[in-house]
Amino acid sequence: MYPAFSDWIKSHRDLPLKLNQWSNVVRWEFKDPTPFLRTREFLWQEGHTVHVSHDDADVMVMQALDLYRQVYEDLLAIPVIPGYKTEKEKFAGGHQTTTVEAYIPMSGRAIQGATSHNLGQNFGKMFDITYQDAEGKSQIAWQTSWGLTTRTLGVMIMVHGDDTGLVLPPRIAPLQAVIVPIVSKKITMADVTPYCESVLKSLLDAGIRAKFDDRDTYNPGWKYNHWEQKGVPVRIEVGPRDIDNKQVRLVVRATGEKVDNSVDDIGKVVKDKLDFVQTDMLEKARAVRDSHLVQITEWKDFVPEIEKHNLVLTPWCGGEHQDWEEWVKEKSREESLAARGEEDEDERAATSVAAKTLCIPFKQPDLPEGTKCIASGLPATCWVLWGRSY
């Protein structure tokens, strides 16, 4: 599309230009798949914008990155750490890359959730994307790009899922509540249907995505297992005793909580419960992530903390020191293998035991004067976050 930008953009009045696309991408260089996270083909959303200045482009970069943060935290209930990529890890040819980094507790690995790039003027020079400013002078445009892929679903599955199946945050669950009748020889599906349909109407009227599972080919236990595997946030059980007492039993997928509630205002009760579950899932995921986030200042502590499946925050001499970044990667790999009594990694391994920089977090702890870089011993200029990554 960049050659087209050169044709479309002539004046500062044509800017900013903002395009968004959804497309399927095939990785031709692809070798080793990681289920849910890295596949040969994936769907992604990609934005491209053109601006008159670095500052305007930077505003767009941060807006896009915060949108991605909201997708993860507000919808998927996954806490992320926003920050800048180092020179070694930034998008090739770009001016600066920002990222949101998530943490997978079961593997102790980080994963890049989404990126937003200030491309600078490099591509403007390459594709002759110029414009006339207000004074009639020719200027090279500033560009951004930012993207999000179906990897987000894989991250959500791995962060919240359990041995039973999916655990879906209510805001993104296609089905938020399912009503399962408990039928027997004493009470038939025809007997419970009017009551269940009344409950369903209350849920739908409250704006809840709900379903009444009236299939008579499966028993209640089978249905419980079926909807638990699918991660439906709330199961509503209706049996003879519930009908007599004008109540239902709510079972929360994320916590296993079981509670009996009156059918009066059941729509509001379930809606409030879904809101609580959404918040609770994020808070629990954040607590787990934070329990694996450590801050150290000496190399001797680095690999032992990485081996504990931790993310490690260390003082650093600056994102431009690619040589020392590579040193940490190789040294951590070497020491991790030695600690495990292994000589080398399987060349087919899709993930490595080596640590890498994840980001230079936006929120920086205090850096006392005189603090040294954990690798080079040079004066530290920032804190950088390390971890094993997908």
Side-chain angles (χ1 to χ4, degrees):
M1 65 176 69
Y2 289 176
F5 285 3
S6 180
D7 291 334
W8 297 344
I9 297 169
K10 302 300 179 184
S11 166
H12 65 93
R13 297 182 183 87
D14 298 324
L15 302 177
L17 174 66
K18 299 181 180 182
L19 298 182
N20 185 64
Q21 66 176 3
W22 287 89
S23 60
N24 270 40
V25 178
V26 175
R27 302 179 192 265
W28 293 112
E29 81 287 1
F30 182 79
K31 186 168 66 172
D32 297 305
T34 301
F36 301 122
L37 303 178
R38 185 175 176 83
T39 53
R40 178 176 294 279
E41 183 177 3
F42 60 91
L43 171 68
W44 79 346
Q45 166 274 324
E46 182 184 46
H48 289 269
T49 68
V50 189
H51 304 266
V52 299
S53 69
H54 170 275
D55 289 347
D56 285 354
D58 224 35
V59 168
M60 183 72 251
V61 166
M62 294 304 173
Q63 286 178 343
L65 191 73
D66 193 60
L67 175 63
Y68 296 148
R69 180 199 61 77
Q70 292 176 59
V71 168
Y72 274 99
E73 296 191 342
D74 298 347
L75 298 181
L76 301 177
I78 298 171
V80 291
I81 299 173
Y84 297 106
K85 285 291 188 182
T86 62
E87 288 295 306
K88 180 178 174 60
E89 294 293 331
K90 77 175 184 180
F91 177 71
H95 175 67
Q96 189 176 64
T97 292
T98 63
T99 179
V100 286
E101 300 285 328
Y103 176 73
I104 309 295
M106 297 302 292
S107 64
R109 289 184 178 270
I111 185 164
Q112 179 178 285
T115 52
S116 182
H117 315 282
N118 188 326
L119 299 179
Q121 296 176 305
N122 292 338
F123 292 95
K125 295 173 183 176
M126 190 182 307
F127 292 95
D128 190 30
I129 304 173
T130 60
Y131 66 94
Q132 277 195 341
D133 64 19
E135 297 177 356
K137 296 179 181 178
S138 181
Q139 304 287 352
I140 299 170
W142 292 76
Q143 294 175 250
T144 78
S145 70
W146 21 278
L148 184 78
T149 79
T150 42
R151 165 182 288 190
T152 55
L153 301 179
V155 175
M156 182 270 297
I157 291 167
M158 295 179 73
V159 169
H160 298 306
D162 58 23
D163 290 342
T164 302
L166 293 173
V167 180
L168 298 178
R171 287 181 186 165
I172 59 98
L175 192 62
Q176 296 173 311
V178 60
I179 303 167
V180 178
I182 301 173
V183 297
S184 64
K185 293 180 180 178
K186 296 181 179 180
I187 183 167
T188 67
M189 184 67 72
D191 296 327
V192 301
T193 292
Y195 190 88
C196 290
E197 288 183 340
S198 174
V199 173
L200 177 63
K201 184 178 184 306
S202 297
L203 299 177
L204 296 176
D205 288 347
I208 298 166
R209 298 185 291 275
K211 175 185 177 67
F212 167 35
D213 189 346
D214 59 353
R215 292 174 293 176
D216 54 13
T217 52
Y218 301 105
N219 62 39
W222 189 96
K223 292 179 182 180
Y224 295 168
N225 182 66
H226 174 76
W227 294 115
E228 284 177 356
Q229 284 185 332
K230 289 184 175 292
V232 175
V234 174
R235 182 174 76 241
I236 301 174
E237 301 172 4
V238 177
R241 187 176 301 174
D242 298 306
I243 295 175
D244 291 342
N245 295 331
K246 293 185 178 180
Q247 66 180 31
V248 295
R249 168 161 289 190
L250 304 182
V251 182
V252 179
R253 175 66 179 90
T255 63
E257 175 194 13
K258 297 181 180 181
V259 60
D260 294 330
N261 274 99
S262 167
V263 291
D264 295 334
D265 294 327
I266 190 61
K268 183 180 184 307
V269 169
V270 173
K271 194 170 185 63
D272 289 345
K273 179 64 70 176
L274 291 171
D275 289 341
F276 170 80
V277 169
Q278 181 77 32
T279 301
D280 187 58
M281 287 180 70
L282 175 61
E283 290 178 351
K284 286 182 176 178
R286 193 188 304 279
V288 171
R289 193 274 313 275
D290 289 350
S291 71
H292 286 278
L293 183 59
V294 298
Q295 189 172 321
I296 65 172
T297 57
E298 297 184 53
W299 175 258
K300 66 180 179 64
D301 300 320
F302 187 85
V303 172
E305 292 296 344
I306 291 290
E307 283 292 311
K308 295 175 185 176
H309 289 183
N310 289 334
L311 304 179
V312 182
L313 197 62
T314 74
W316 190 242
C317 50
E320 69 277 9
H321 288 277
Q322 299 185 38
D323 51 346
W324 284 109
E325 199 169 333
E326 186 64 25
W327 181 88
V328 170
K329 183 176 180 180
E330 290 304 318
K331 189 68 172 175
S332 64
R333 177 177 175 274
E334 176 186 317
E335 292 187 12
S336 290
L337 289 173
R340 299 175 179 202
E342 300 174 6
E343 293 184 1
D344 207 351
E345 294 183 285
D346 190 326
E347 62 179 15
R348 297 167 299 176
T351 54
S352 174
V353 297
K356 59 178 284 190
T357 57
L358 305 174
C359 69
I360 300 171
F362 292 159
K363 292 184 178 179
Q364 289 276 306
D366 290 336
L367 186 65
E369 187 175 352
T371 302
K372 302 295 184 182
C373 171
I374 194 172
S376 67
L378 296 171
T381 60
C382 64
W383 292 87
V384 70
L385 187 66
W386 303 81
R388 291 178 178 145
S389 182
Y390 285 100

